[in-house]
């Protein structure tokens, strides 16, 4: 199965506007985080992946990260990938970027990097194949951690349209029609897996926990707790602007 790439330009952060190839009218920020922000956790990377849906060249189109998470079946990190490794510095840069673009009404999109995946072999009519993340697990995992922290903070409130705890969990973190492990949208490896599953299921965290996952969850939780009502809405708006390119 050919790898499918969802990619953005690797360049320093800056605001852009105007039209790009396959992204007519898209306006926003294009950036790649240097150096730890890049994945570097597999030999394929997006420039080595062949084709898109059919292996032929297609025009790239902007896709919101939230739309990708909502429409995708279960996302799985292959066992050969390195474990989750984003530092607090990586998380702080993403946090600052989200708040910045959330506050800028004239900016419609903020591109955050690349996601490359292949479909798993097993698939039935009622059970779509999981997507194996070849490149992009750091961004997807961090987004999931931030969404869980946000869901816990806002509860039944809706600071921005589409952002309540129930909607965040049922759209982006869990599949309400499934049970057990298949209920979870993202499956990591090793202790990252059990820690994230416990977080998104709101269950006690195991003693053998992932320090990175829990440390970054605590970071985002503390930052969210310090926000006022208007800033919380800004955070939601900024998150909704995060884009990948498909």
């Amino acid at each position: 199965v050919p790898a499918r790439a969802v990619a953005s330009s690797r360049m320093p952060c800056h605001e852009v506007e105007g039209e790009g190839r396959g992204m007519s009218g898209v306006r926003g920020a294009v950036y790649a985080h240097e150096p730890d922000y890049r994945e570097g956790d597999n030999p394929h990377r997006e420039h080595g992946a062949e084709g898109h849906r059919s292996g032929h060249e297609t025009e790239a189109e902007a896709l919101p990260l939230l739309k990708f998470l909502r429409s995708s079946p279960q996302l799985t990190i292959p066992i050969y990938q390195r474990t989750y490794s984003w530092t607090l510095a990586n998380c702080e840069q993403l946090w600052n970027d989200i708040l910045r673009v959330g506050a800028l009404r004239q900016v419609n999109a903020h591109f955050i990097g690349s996601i490359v995946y292949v479909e798993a072999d097993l698939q039935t009519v009622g059970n779509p194949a999981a997507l194996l993340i070849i490149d992009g697990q750091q961004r997807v995992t961090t987004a999931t951690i931030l969404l869980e922290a946000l869901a816990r903070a806002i509860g039944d409130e809706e600071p921005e349209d589409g952002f309540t705890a129930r909607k965040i969990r049922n759209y982006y973190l869990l599949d309400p029609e499934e049970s057990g492990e298949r209920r979870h949208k993202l499956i990591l490896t090793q202790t990252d897996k059990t820690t994230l599953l416990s977080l998104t299921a709101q269950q006690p965290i195991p003693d053998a926990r992932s320090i990175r996952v829990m440390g970054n969850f605590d970071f985002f939780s503390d930052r969210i707790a310090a926000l006022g009502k208007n800033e919380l809405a800004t955070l939601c708006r900024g998150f909704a602007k995060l884009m990948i390119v498909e």
Side-chain angles (χ1 to χ4, degrees), residues 151-205:
R152 295 189 185 197
I154 63 179
D156 294 330
E157 296 182 14
E158 193 165 10
E160 189 73 10
D161 187 41
F163 285 87
T164 66
R166 180 181 61 82
K167 289 178 180 178
I168 290 172
R169 290 205 168 92
N170 290 346
Y171 292 167
Y172 315 120
L173 302 178
L174 304 169
D175 184 344
E177 300 302 320
E178 296 289 352
S179 60
E181 192 172 293
R182 289 179 58 177
R183 184 167 177 253
H184 296 264
K185 279 276 193 173
L186 178 62
I187 303 295
L188 303 181
T189 61
Q190 303 180 39
T191 56
D192 293 343
K193 174 181 177 179
T194 55
T195 303
L196 187 65
L197 292 183
S198 298
L199 267 182
T200 54
Q202 302 179 78
Q203 298 294 322
I205 305 301

Side-chain angles (χ1 to χ4, degrees), residues 7 9 18-27 52-53 57-64 109 111 243-246:
S9 302
E19 298 185 358
R21 181 175 178 266
M23 295 182 287
S24 177
V26 172
R27 188 171 180 230
H52 292 262
R53 286 189 178 88
E57 286 294 325
T58 59
E59 283 199 352
E61 293 188 4
L63 178 72
F111 294 89
M243 306 284 284
I244 56 180
V245 178
E246 185 176 51

Side-chain angles (χ1 to χ4, degrees), residues 9 12 15 41 43 48 50 71 75 84 95 121 129 133-134 139 142 146 149 177 184-185 204 219 227 230 245:
S9 302
E15 301 302 324
D41 51 1
E50 295 183 2
S71 63
L75 303 169
Y84 180 59
W95 172 266
D121 292 335
I133 303 296
I134 304 300
R139 287 177 280 276
T142 305
L146 177 50
E177 300 302 320
H184 296 264
K185 279 276 193 173
F219 168 83
L227 297 179
N230 290 337
V245 178

Side-chain angles (χ1 to χ4, degrees), residues 39 41-42 114-116 133-141:
E39 299 301 310
D41 51 1
N42 70 86
S114 63
I115 299 174
V116 179
I133 303 296
I134 304 300
D135 191 14
Q137 72 139 315
Q138 306 296 326
R139 287 177 280 276
V140 172
T141 302

Side-chain angles (χ1 to χ4, degrees), residues 89-153:
N90 298 138
C91 292
E92 184 167 26
Q93 181 176 352
L94 178 63
W95 172 266
N96 291 337
D97 289 344
I98 291 174
L99 287 179
R100 177 177 57 81
V101 298
L104 296 174
R105 297 285 184 175
Q106 73 275 20
V107 174
N108 298 323
H110 188 76
F111 294 89
I112 64 168
S114 63
I115 299 174
V116 179
Y117 60 85
V118 296
E119 289 186 357
D121 292 335
L122 298 178
Q123 179 175 354
T124 64
V125 174
N127 297 308
L131 302 182
L132 301 180
I133 303 296
I134 304 300
D135 191 14
Q137 72 139 315
Q138 306 296 326
R139 287 177 280 276
V140 172
T141 302
T142 305
T144 297
I145 293 170
L146 177 50
L147 285 170
E148 176 59 34
L150 182 58
R152 295 189 185 197

